[in-house]
Amino acid sequence: MSIVPKETIEVIAQSIGITNLSPEAALMLAPDVEYRVREIMQEAIKCMRHSKRTTLTASDVDGALNLRNLEPIYGFASGGPIRFRKAIGHRDLFYTDDREVDFKDVIEAPLPKAPLDTDIVCHWLAIEGVQPAIPENAPLEVIRAPAENQIYQQKDGPLIDIRLPVKHVLSKELQLYFQKIAELTMSKSNPSLFKEALVSLASDSGLHPLVPYFTNFIADEVSRGLNDFLLLSNLMHVVRSLLQNPHIHIEPYLHQLMPSVVTCLVSRKLGNRFADNHWELRDFTANLVALICKRFGNTYITLQSRLTKTLVNALLDPKKALTQHYGAIQGLAALGHNVVRLLVLPNLEPYLSLLEPELDAEKQKNQMKSYETWRVYGALLRAAGLCIHDRLKIFPYLPSPSPSFLNKGKGKIINTEPNKRKLSVDSSSTMQVDKPMGDDNPPQNSVQPSSSGQASDGAPESRNAKEKEGSKGRAITMKAILDQVWKNDLDSGRLLVKLHQLYGDRILPFIPSTEMSLFL
């Protein structure tokens, strides 16, 4: 039984000019009409839900008809629900109330504005900080107006209601807290109180409203105080405390903090006194950069790539000062051994070739320049040494090499047969001395006393057999590990040889002696 009565089918047939439709045909068409209407309405409800609305409109029905490749119904707008009236004498028949309109009145009436559907249009609010002069943006005179909620009228356009941003209100306690922290950061008279302030910044809750003020304060003071070493050091400690505070959501302000942090890492000059230890500040800032990348690298996937690009450009730029190169090296080293292996080691040989003339004390008479060169050289040595040490740590422990296996003077593998024979002769002679005196062939069934001086003749032979088996197993283990080391994906052996060629014996403290015996 269909919910659509046959009378409705008859009325629809009469409206399109079919006057001889039989009641039996109308009764058979009613279930099919109900099925089609249900299908269209279900698709319309899907369109409504995808539009995040709870009211079904005519546009949803048009969308459902388009999905079914049917022509949409014209003449209906989505302004509001359509009003239906109940037909007199029919319980289940409804019709739309269309009032009669005089054709003359329609002709003489002014043309209304064309109805527009809701749409989204994209435009630029600002391009690199400059607002484009397009009709969608409000004029600059309106934005700069001091009055609140001022209504401005564009030329040949509608009224625009401009609402200025609401002022950020801070409590007096937070204002006093910010002022006190700023005073302690800029003053160098009370370091103990400043340390307590750093602990407060790293642990206190409720400081999130002050984060934009701290970021602006740090950015301004870093840009103005590059000659004040103590101020820069205090500012970097403030940044670390803010990053350590678990109650602060600092991610939206990283774009303001990172330029200040990178400036303290690769700036040409930090401080204006010879006693200022800017090397220590660069080391601290490098660890700070590594902390930021470790904590927010998964959230901002381009953070570390952009940072490493900046540091590599600073390192490979010959016009940069050696202090800037040192900061770049320390920053790349703090980001991890993989960064050093992929970005620093490929450029190590050409960079050292340019740095070598500066290392010669006879050619370089400027002591300050020579000191900076050796600092950069030491930073590169440490980064490369820790990288190769990290690569060699993945291999299992190797037994210590024998004195005949390693020549300590030249650092090369020596494995000569005459030495082995000589060692076996010496060992056999010592074993003969240890044999007990007395009967050469004691009875097999006789019981010997359990004294240290009366050992059996088979003891030296068993020890020789065990030593041979141990040396064979050690040789097999070394061969397996050598095969693993010299794989193309690890390439640790070639890297170690290359670093030894570049640095000589200076690289040896970073390498355990067991691994060194395999390659050098």
Side-chain angles (χ1 to χ4, degrees):
M1 182 65 182
S2 175
I3 64 172
V4 179
K6 62 181 184 63
E7 291 83 3
T8 304
I9 304 299
E10 293 174 354
V11 171
I12 295 174
Q14 292 175 5
S15 64
I16 60 176
I18 302 175
T19 57
N20 57 350
L21 183 66
S22 64
E24 292 79 8
L27 191 61
M28 294 180 65
L29 285 174
D32 186 67
V33 171
E34 179 186 356
Y35 172 75
R36 301 297 179 185
V37 171
R38 284 181 182 273
E39 190 178 28
I40 294 299
M41 296 311 296
Q42 287 176 0
E43 296 292 339
I45 291 173
K46 290 180 183 179
C47 296
M48 177 192 71
R49 289 175 179 173
H50 282 293
S51 302
K52 307 298 182 182
R53 287 185 282 102
T54 58
T55 303
L56 192 67
T57 61
S59 60
D60 298 328
V61 179
D62 291 340
L65 293 173
N66 288 327
L67 291 175
R68 295 295 175 180
N69 294 324
L70 299 175
E71 188 176 4
I73 302 175
Y74 299 100
F76 293 94
S78 301
I82 301 175
R83 297 180 177 273
F84 290 90
R85 287 192 177 185
K86 191 174 183 180
I88 301 175
H90 299 277
R91 185 179 61 180
D92 298 327
L93 183 60
F94 297 87
Y95 65 97
T96 56
D97 187 12
D98 295 332
R99 65 184 184 89
E100 295 182 358
V101 179
D102 191 359
F103 190 67
K104 181 180 179 181
D105 296 337
V106 174
I107 293 176
E108 294 178 354
L111 294 175
K113 293 183 178 180
L116 299 177
D117 291 337
T118 304
D119 199 0
I120 298 176
V121 179
C122 299
H123 65 90
W124 288 100
L125 292 176
I127 302 175
E128 295 183 356
V130 180
Q131 175 180 300
I134 56 178
E136 288 80 3
N137 289 336
L140 296 177
E141 296 80 6
V142 180
I143 298 177
R144 295 173 182 173
E148 296 183 356
N149 300 338
Q150 182 180 1
I151 296 178
Y152 181 81
Q153 185 174 4
Q154 287 182 325
K155 295 181 179 180
D156 300 332
L159 296 177
I160 299 177
D161 188 6
I162 302 298
R163 297 182 180 272
L164 296 180
V166 180
K167 294 182 179 180
H168 194 194
V169 180
L170 286 177
S171 63
K172 292 183 178 180
E173 292 80 6
L174 288 177
Q175 294 179 18
L176 292 175
Y177 184 88
F178 174 75
Q179 293 175 2
K180 190 64 178 178
I181 296 294
E183 291 175 1
L184 291 174
T185 304
M186 300 184 67
S187 65
K188 302 91 179 176
S189 58
N190 198 345
S192 59
L193 188 58
F194 179 68
K195 290 182 180 179
E196 295 179 0
L198 292 179
V199 173
S200 174
L201 278 175
S203 58
D204 287 355
S205 60
L207 299 181
H208 184 71
L210 292 177
V211 175
Y213 296 93
F214 277 121
T215 53
N216 289 332
F217 169 72
I218 292 169
D220 294 341
E221 294 302 325
V222 167
S223 60
R224 291 183 299 188
L226 289 177
N227 294 327
D228 194 342
F229 169 76
L230 291 178
L231 175 61
L232 296 176
S233 178
N234 292 343
L235 290 172
M236 292 300 101
H237 281 83
V238 170
V239 172
R240 187 184 66 172
S241 298
L242 291 175
L243 291 172
Q244 291 176 346
N245 195 327
H247 308 287
I248 289 179
H249 184 61
I250 204 170
E251 294 182 20
Y253 307 98
L254 281 179
H255 66 284
Q256 296 179 358
L257 282 178
M258 287 306 297
S260 304
V261 175
V262 176
T263 298
C264 292
L265 181 62
V266 294
S267 180
R268 178 182 293 271
K269 186 178 180 182
L270 299 176
N272 55 359
R273 296 184 303 173
F274 182 76
D276 293 339
N277 190 5
H278 63 92
W279 310 102
E280 182 180 354
L281 176 59
R282 295 178 195 274
D283 296 341
F284 179 83
T285 309
N287 295 328
L288 194 61
V289 166
L291 175 64
I292 293 174
C293 290
K294 181 179 179 180
R295 182 175 174 184
F296 304 104
N298 295 330
T299 306
Y300 300 100
I301 56 177
T302 61
L303 176 62
Q304 184 167 341
S305 61
R306 294 168 60 186
L307 182 62
T308 51
K309 183 179 180 181
T310 302
L311 296 179
V312 170
N313 290 336
L315 175 62
L316 301 181
D317 190 357
K319 298 181 181 179
K320 301 287 186 182
L322 290 175
T323 54
Q324 295 174 284
H325 291 180
Y326 177 86
I329 295 168
Q330 292 296 88
L332 292 171
L335 291 177
H337 303 301
N338 289 331
V339 176
V340 175
R341 181 171 57 88
L342 296 175
L343 299 178
V344 178
L345 296 184
N347 302 304
L348 185 60
E349 186 174 359
Y351 186 86
L352 288 179
S353 63
L354 296 177
L355 201 65
E356 186 176 359
E358 304 292 338
L359 298 173
D360 192 356
E362 297 179 357
K363 297 181 180 179
Q364 182 56 257
K365 302 299 182 180
N366 190 347
Q367 295 183 358
M368 190 63 187
K369 185 80 171 179
S370 177
Y371 178 73
E372 292 178 354
T373 305
W374 279 104
R375 291 289 302 211
V376 174
Y377 182 85
L380 283 172
L381 174 61
R382 182 177 180 273
L386 293 178
C387 178
I388 189 61
H389 185 271
D390 181 73
R391 298 297 296 172
L392 294 176
K393 279 194 312 182
I394 64 177
F395 304 117
Y397 174 74
L398 295 178
S400 299
S402 61
S404 64
F405 189 74
L406 177 63
N407 186 346
K408 295 182 180 179
K410 296 182 180 179
K412 296 181 179 179
I413 294 178
I414 298 178
N415 191 3
T416 57
E417 293 297 331
N419 290 339
K420 283 190 175 182
R421 294 195 187 96
K422 185 177 180 181
L423 180 61
S424 62
V425 171
D426 295 340
S427 60
S428 62
S429 63
T430 55
M431 291 176 187
Q432 290 177 2
V433 173
D434 293 338
K435 287 180 68 176
M437 301 296 292
D439 242 352
D440 291 336
N441 296 320
Q444 295 180 358
N445 297 331
S446 62
V447 179
Q448 299 294 331
S450 60
S451 61
S452 60
Q454 296 178 350
S456 61
D457 292 340
E461 297 177 359
S462 64
R463 281 199 298 269
N464 287 334
K466 290 181 180 179
E467 288 182 359
K468 290 180 180 179
E469 292 177 359
S471 61
K472 185 182 297 184
R474 185 162 56 246
I476 294 174
T477 304
M478 288 184 178
K479 183 179 183 304
I481 294 175
L482 278 172
D483 293 340
Q484 181 182 8
V485 169
W486 287 94
K487 286 182 179 179
N488 291 330
D489 56 340
L490 295 178
D491 203 17
S492 300
R494 299 183 182 91
L495 178 60
L496 178 55
V497 173
K498 179 181 177 182
L499 292 179
H500 186 264
Q501 292 174 355
L502 293 176
Y503 285 105
D505 293 343
R506 294 190 181 98
I507 200 67
L508 299 184
F510 296 95
I511 305 166
S513 59
T514 54
E515 283 83 355
M516 181 183 67
S517 65
L518 296 177
F519 307 108
L520 303 181

